[in-house]
Amino acid sequence: MKMKAVVVTVLLAAALSYYIYTPLPDGIQEPFKLMVVDASFRTAINLAALKYWLGLDHYITSFRQTLEGFDSTISALLGSTSPAGVVPGVKVSDITFAGVPVRVYEPPAGGEGHLRRGLMYFHGGGWAFGSGKMGAYNKMTQMISDELNTVVVSVEYRLFPEVHFPEPFLDCLSAAKHFLSPEVLAKYSIDPERVAVSGDSAGGNLAAAVAQEISTDDSVSVKFSVQALIYPALQALDFNTPSYVQNDNMAILPRRVMVQFWLQYLGADISLQPQVIANNHSALQHSPLTPELRSRLDWTSLLAQRFKKSFKPVVVERESQGLLKKVPAFLDVRSAPLLAGAEVLAKCPRAYILTCEYDVLRDDGLMYARRLQDAGVSVSSDYYENGFHGCLSFTSWPLGFDVGKRALRGYINWLQENL
Ligand SMILES: *[C@@H]1O[C@H](CO)[C@@H](O)[C@H](O)[C@H]1NC(C)=O
């Protein structure tokens, strides 16, 4: 009997470690913790696939539920029973801006007539899940509000599968215009010269796109003064940049998952995944993707040698299906801000762009930094050579990473000095 129990325990432990084990690059510090995070994501995905297969739920809906379950478990472990009020003194209100739900964080009131800074934040989550109210985001936005004496507005834009592009972008744009209106800025005592737009991952995409739109819209009198983009997704035409190829199978955000997020966001069929991973959609022949547009995301000229290494561009000569004509959103600058022309970029606010080595999106961020600079915009680039996608969301026990803490600190310090 005893022997049997030992055998079963050993087998279970072996199965569990096999399940959790993911090969990771040497540059990743605290690899075991990252494996646990990655295994949790995979569990959420597998559960969602199972429930979808059983006809119980849309796979995104169940993925969200599992994620929220993880989030509240961690909050409970941390003993923060009232997640809205992590930082005492910061006032939290759930309201709407132009019909879009937002959470507003107001720092303790300053003296009469004392103006504060403003920051609008778009959370990440592949345009399909996540919320500014979740533990890590809620904590970060309150910290910024408190430490930087800033009114932070976290936007709950609508997500896939309820909507797809351009709705999430339009929600963010409406909320941004409302925030920048002189009456709203006055109501919150915000200095109109010191308002930032920011976001991470899919939220970084939305922040860059909204910043471009506002900068070129003459009907908006107050503009964002800075944009802070954290590992943003900025283009969906080349899924063979060095960072996409190098991080093909990386924990948290493998290439196939990012491609799936893009297809969902753009309202395209997910069955196109293998074709777009092969860059078939951006084939040369008969393509509406002109040489001029191509040059705007040509990593062979936009990336430094240390990132290009010996990677080779994947350029397909011909494809039969006319994918770009079927899915025109691939070429829309509001979904792919990297496609904007230099004349648009030149009008954009000063930028902070954070990138991580172990992230399929690294080169999107690096190329955008280079193009903004070439257009005459001042850019601060923060590159983390041990960083991985999503690391800013993992800064506290039990899943805190040193690189996540450093990156979060670097981002907040930049805002402190530049907003
Ligand atoms: C890419 O397109 C070509 C030509 O239409 C086709 O033969 C090839 O199978 C496609 N590749 C993928 C991965 O679908």
Side-chain angles (χ1 to χ4, degrees):
M1 270 321 269
K2 242 185 187 167
M3 194 57 205
K4 218 182 208 171
V6 170
V7 170
V8 169
T9 311
V10 168
L11 284 178
L12 277 178
L16 185 67
S17 40
Y18 179 75
Y19 184 73
I20 292 179
Y21 179 77
T22 319
L24 289 172
D26 290 343
I28 291 287
Q29 296 160 332
E30 308 166 87
F32 183 68
K33 248 188 246 174
L34 186 57
M35 286 180 206
V36 170
V37 171
D38 185 55
S40 313
F41 272 108
R42 276 186 285 127
T43 305
I45 290 173
N46 294 341
L47 264 177
L50 178 68
K51 285 166 82 180
Y52 188 53
W53 183 72
L54 292 171
L56 292 176
D57 252 333
H58 192 281
Y59 59 92
I60 295 289
T61 317
S62 38
F63 183 74
R64 277 185 209 155
Q65 282 164 359
T66 312
L67 213 63
E68 276 156 26
F70 284 149
D71 190 57
S72 44
T73 309
I74 288 184
S75 295
L77 279 173
L78 294 175
S80 46
T81 42
S82 108
V86 179
V87 179
V90 173
K91 184 179 157 209
V92 179
S93 350
D94 291 319
I95 56 170
T96 59
F97 271 16
V100 179
V102 296
R103 179 170 273 192
V104 181
Y105 302 87
E106 291 170 78
E112 194 64 26
H114 178 80
L115 290 181
R116 310 177 286 190
R117 297 182 271 192
L119 180 135
M120 176 156 273
Y121 197 86
F122 306 131
H123 67 81
W127 305 280
F129 60 90
S131 155
K133 296 173 185 168
M134 285 175 74
Y137 288 122
N138 190 48
K139 196 175 140 201
M140 180 180 84
T141 37
Q142 288 189 54
M143 254 170 77
I144 294 173
S145 178
D146 182 52
E147 268 188 48
L148 272 54
N149 188 31
T150 297
V151 177
V152 180
V153 178
S154 194
V155 180
E156 299 295 326
Y157 55 93
R158 285 169 298 163
L159 302 168
F160 178 88
E162 288 77 24
V163 295
H164 55 70
F165 179 80
E167 263 69 27
F169 164 79
L170 294 175
D171 284 356
C172 292
L173 185 63
S174 304
K177 285 184 175 170
H178 183 84
F179 189 38
L180 291 171
S181 68
E183 308 76 60
V184 173
L185 294 174
K187 177 183 167 211
Y188 289 105
S189 308
I190 296 170
D191 182 346
E193 312 263 296
R194 302 176 79 184
V195 190
V197 63
S198 184
D200 64 295
S201 194
N205 166 279
L206 293 163
V210 166
Q212 286 184 4
E213 190 79 15
I214 298 274
S215 305
T216 50
D217 183 344
D218 294 334
S219 72
V220 183
S221 59
V222 177
K223 311 281 190 190
F224 287 114
S225 38
V226 305
Q227 54 177 328
L229 314 176
I230 300 167
Y231 29 75
L234 298 166
Q235 59 86 26
L237 290 166
D238 186 356
F239 291 117
N240 289 276
T241 61
S243 61
Y244 264 110
V245 176
Q246 172 187 295
N247 299 297
D248 181 36
N249 228 344
M250 183 59 200
I252 299 194
L253 190 63
R255 174 162 63 169
R256 63 180 183 283
V257 173
M258 189 62 227
V259 168
Q260 179 176 341
F261 287 152
W262 267 115
L263 292 172
Q264 290 174 169
Y265 181 48
L266 300 181
D269 200 314
I270 293 171
S271 65
L272 296 178
Q273 202 184 37
Q275 300 212 37
V276 304
I277 287 178
N279 274 0
N280 254 5
H281 61 318
S282 47
L284 289 170
Q285 200 205 24
H286 305 311
S287 177
L289 182 54
T290 60
E292 166 60 26
L293 284 176
R294 245 171 233 285
S295 71
R296 296 176 185 175
L297 59 133
D298 178 4
W299 60 262
T300 62
S301 67
L302 294 168
L303 288 186
Q305 187 52 45
R306 66 178 170 132
F307 298 112
K308 286 197 273 191
K309 299 192 181 123
S310 56
F311 288 97
K312 296 276 176 289
V314 173
V315 181
V316 177
E317 282 298 324
R318 55 187 73 229
E319 61 105 15
S320 46
Q321 304 194 36
L323 290 174
L324 290 186
K325 293 202 179 93
K326 269 192 211 159
V327 189
F330 273 122
L331 286 172
D332 197 316
V333 286
R334 299 171 307 163
S335 80
L338 187 60
L339 286 178
E343 71 293 348
V344 170
L345 298 184
K347 293 186 175 160
C348 285
R350 221 146 29 91
Y352 171 85
I353 300 181
L354 187 154
T355 53
C356 292
E357 176 64 18
Y358 301 108
D359 181 1
V360 289
L361 300 178
R362 181 198 69 188
D363 298 342
D364 284 20
L366 293 174
M367 286 193 279
Y368 199 51
R370 170 69 194 274
R371 290 208 54 229
L372 283 167
Q373 258 164 350
D374 287 351
V377 176
S378 144
V379 181
S380 306
S381 282
D382 241 351
Y383 158 75
Y384 289 89
E385 70 175 338
N386 306 110
F388 55 90
H389 190 79
C391 63
L392 264 83
S393 295
F394 300 100
T395 57
S396 51
W397 189 88
L399 294 172
F401 288 81
D402 178 58
V403 68
K405 289 177 206 166
R406 281 188 289 123
L408 178 62
R409 189 38 52 201
Y411 165 64
I412 294 180
N413 287 350
W414 186 87
L415 287 173
Q416 176 70 287
E417 283 156 27
N418 293 278
L419 174 56

